[in-house]
Amino acid sequence: QVELVQSGGGLVQPGGSLRLSCAASGRTFSPAAMAWFRQTPGNGREIVAAVRWSDGTTYYADSVKGRFTVSRDNANNTGYLQMNSLKPEDTAVYYCAADSIPGTGEYDLWGQGTQVTVSS
């Protein structure tokens, strides 16, 4: 059974940077894609960025384009979300997710979530 374990996050001032990591346990991990979502109280979960595992093709929500970078390290089964120029509105719980079942297009594996707070 593959599990996703997140690290990173915390409190940062506006304009600062953080990097989130998402490591997959287990011997075999080859999802179609890994995505990062965020959720705030009273709001639904929104996708922030995604990366195709095979070739590194990326997707970004308009709200984070030019500030966030999503990447993956296939050899170490780990995905990353580098967040720069953070704004207070980026404050949320961030989750990584992986689409591990071929052909479904659904994110079936989820990390435990990590709090990111942007505040002075």
Side-chain angles (χ1 to χ4, degrees), residues 17-30:
S17 298
L18 286 173
R19 188 174 83 156
L20 305 183
S21 299
C22 180
S25 64
R27 293 181 298 172
T28 302
F29 183 69
S30 185

Side-chain angles (χ1 to χ4, degrees), residues 11-60:
L11 173 65
V12 65
Q13 293 185 344
S17 298
L18 286 173
R19 188 174 83 156
L20 305 183
S21 299
C22 180
S25 64
R27 293 181 298 172
T28 302
F29 183 69
S30 185
M34 178 176 282
W36 293 88
F37 293 78
R38 65 187 180 189
Q39 187 165 17
T40 56
N43 293 325
R45 190 173 293 179
E46 65 167 343
I47 189 167
V48 173
V51 59
R52 186 182 298 164
W53 205 254
S54 60
D55 63 8
T57 300
T58 57
Y59 160 84
Y60 296 96

Side-chain angles (χ1 to χ4, degrees), residues 4 7 9 27 30 36 46 48 57 66 80 84 93 97 103 105 109 113 118:
L4 301 183
S7 59
R27 293 181 298 172
S30 185
W36 293 88
E46 65 167 343
V48 173
T57 300
Y80 302 97
N84 298 330
V93 178
L109 298 176
V118 185

